[in-house]
Amino acid sequence: MKTYAIASAFLVLAHVVPTPTLAADRIVTIVNETGYTMVEFYGSNNGTTSWEEDILGDDTLPHGESVDVNFDDGTGHCIFDFLAVFEDGDQVKQEDVDVCKVGTFTFN
């Protein structure tokens, strides 16, 4: 009877406690294959009207390198717009990226 109570408690907890496999994964690997160093990168959910802060901060993303970015901003949004700024001043904007489904996004 003691085993049954422990097993029942475990089953209840398994249904109450969220697990990472049930949550949407919003980590995307950003890859730079442009031939230029990325000096700024922005990613904002399409429900906002601003680009927020530069995700790279003081860092850069050289050609051939990648960085993992967690786009979980607490809003539950999956659709994000990306803006990359490169050392030569070029800007590349990509709208409507589903960060819940895309594991890697390559700028080339």
Side-chain angles (χ1 to χ4, degrees), residues 45-74:
N45 76 58
N46 68 352
T48 64
T49 57
S50 77
W51 283 110
E52 309 298 327
E53 74 273 354
D54 173 13
I55 292 171
L56 293 177
D58 292 333
D59 295 328
T60 61
L61 188 61
H63 167 76
E65 298 291 323
S66 64
V67 63
D68 292 336
V69 178
N70 185 350
F71 288 96
D72 187 356
D73 63 358

Side-chain angles (χ1 to χ4, degrees), residues 30-101:
I30 303 299
V31 181
N32 179 7
E33 292 293 340
T34 63
Y36 296 92
T37 297
M38 185 184 299
V39 295
E40 297 175 34
F41 177 73
Y42 303 89
S44 296
N45 76 58
N46 68 352
T48 64
T49 57
S50 77
W51 283 110
E52 309 298 327
E53 74 273 354
D54 173 13
I55 292 171
L56 293 177
D58 292 333
D59 295 328
T60 61
L61 188 61
H63 167 76
E65 298 291 323
S66 64
V67 63
D68 292 336
V69 178
N70 185 350
F71 288 96
D72 187 356
D73 63 358
T75 65
H77 276 84
C78 286
I79 308 301
F80 277 69
D81 299 333
F82 294 167
L83 174 65
V85 180
F86 296 91
E87 64 186 337
D88 64 350
D90 282 351
Q91 296 184 5
V92 177
K93 182 178 174 183
Q94 178 64 49
E95 296 179 334
D96 301 326
V97 178
D98 188 338
V99 298
C100 293
K101 293 183 180 177

